[in-house]
Amino acid sequence: MALLLIPISSSHAVDIPVICADKISYELRTSNVINQCLESELSLGEGPIAYSLTAPKTLNSTLEVRFLSAQAAAKRDGVALDITSGYRTLARQSELFKRALRKYGSYKEAAKWVSPPGISHHPLGLAIDVNYPNDPKGAKWLEIHGYKFGLCRVFENEWWHFEGNIAPGWKCPKMFKDARAFLKS
Ligand SMILES: [Zn+2]
């Protein structure tokens, strides 16, 4: 079997876009992996946001920049976006899951709505709930335009839950039915 190796030279790397947001207006500009973003800008990253190997204590900073850029663009369209739940400690996630267990009666039913602490992407700082519970219309704006900022709705049953699972500008993947998609079988 022949192995095809593609060398990454600088002429190729300039083709890998990096999306930059102005630190004040959060307007976007496309740069590349060689030139990166300016001092006056923040990077939205060039790929899906990766898991951190150490347990984070806050929301992933790239996810935050992506959200702030989307929030600014939505505002220009007259739509208000707010994070109603972002980073959660494992203890908080555990408490939410226990509450869901009481409400839904079984592990499988509860996990449809609240992921168990070791599974949820909220304690990893990689998930945000937007405009929950009262403004699905605003969140719909993010569902439509989020890909430009690298944000996607992830579950069919949670209109409020978004993650930075693509590179800015990519197409969002097909949604999972519900949060049980992340359960280890
Ligand atoms: Zn969520």
Side-chain angles (χ1 to χ4, degrees):
M1 197 175 78
L3 197 70
L4 185 65
L5 291 173
I6 302 167
I8 297 190
S9 68
S10 58
S11 64
H12 284 102
V14 290
D15 294 332
I16 302 171
V18 173
I19 310 297
C20 307
D22 182 89
K23 279 180 183 170
I24 294 163
S25 69
Y26 283 97
E27 294 226 37
L28 302 186
R29 183 181 71 87
T30 304
S31 181
N32 57 58
V33 292
I34 296 295
N35 294 324
Q36 294 294 328
C37 299
L38 303 171
E39 285 274 342
S40 58
E41 294 172 330
L42 297 160
S43 174
L44 272 67
E46 64 264 22
I49 298 175
Y51 290 73
S52 154
L53 293 174
T54 52
K57 290 192 170 64
T58 56
L59 192 64
N60 177 279
S61 59
T62 304
L63 182 58
E64 190 176 14
V65 175
R66 290 183 183 194
F67 175 76
L68 290 172
S69 304
Q71 185 185 49
K75 196 179 172 190
R76 291 192 285 272
D77 280 357
V79 175
L81 296 182
D82 289 294
I83 294 177
T84 42
S85 183
Y87 169 77
R88 293 176 198 145
T89 61
L90 281 170
R92 174 73 182 144
Q93 189 68 30
S94 182
E95 191 185 299
L96 291 174
F97 186 68
K98 275 185 208 147
R99 194 185 296 172
L101 267 180
R102 283 195 297 272
K103 185 172 172 184
Y104 298 103
S106 77
Y107 184 92
K108 273 228 137 172
E109 266 308 296
K112 236 192 235 185
W113 299 98
V114 179
S115 287
I119 303 295
S120 171
H121 289 181
H122 283 282
L124 296 172
L126 296 178
I128 49 175
D129 293 343
V130 177
N131 291 17
Y132 181 81
N134 295 321
D135 184 19
K137 257 178 90 179
K140 190 76 192 172
W141 184 99
L142 192 57
E143 187 181 329
I144 294 166
H145 301 279
Y147 76 94
K148 299 172 197 167
F149 311 91
L151 297 172
C152 297
R153 180 177 157 187
V154 176
F155 305 120
E156 283 172 9
N157 70 334
E158 296 190 10
W159 55 259
W160 54 86
H161 181 102
F162 291 84
E163 299 189 16
N165 55 349
I166 56 165
W170 286 8
K171 200 170 168 273
C172 286
K174 195 174 175 292
M175 277 186 255
F176 295 111
K177 207 162 163 253
D178 55 56
R180 292 178 300 183
F182 294 156
L183 292 181
K184 291 159 192 137
S185 52

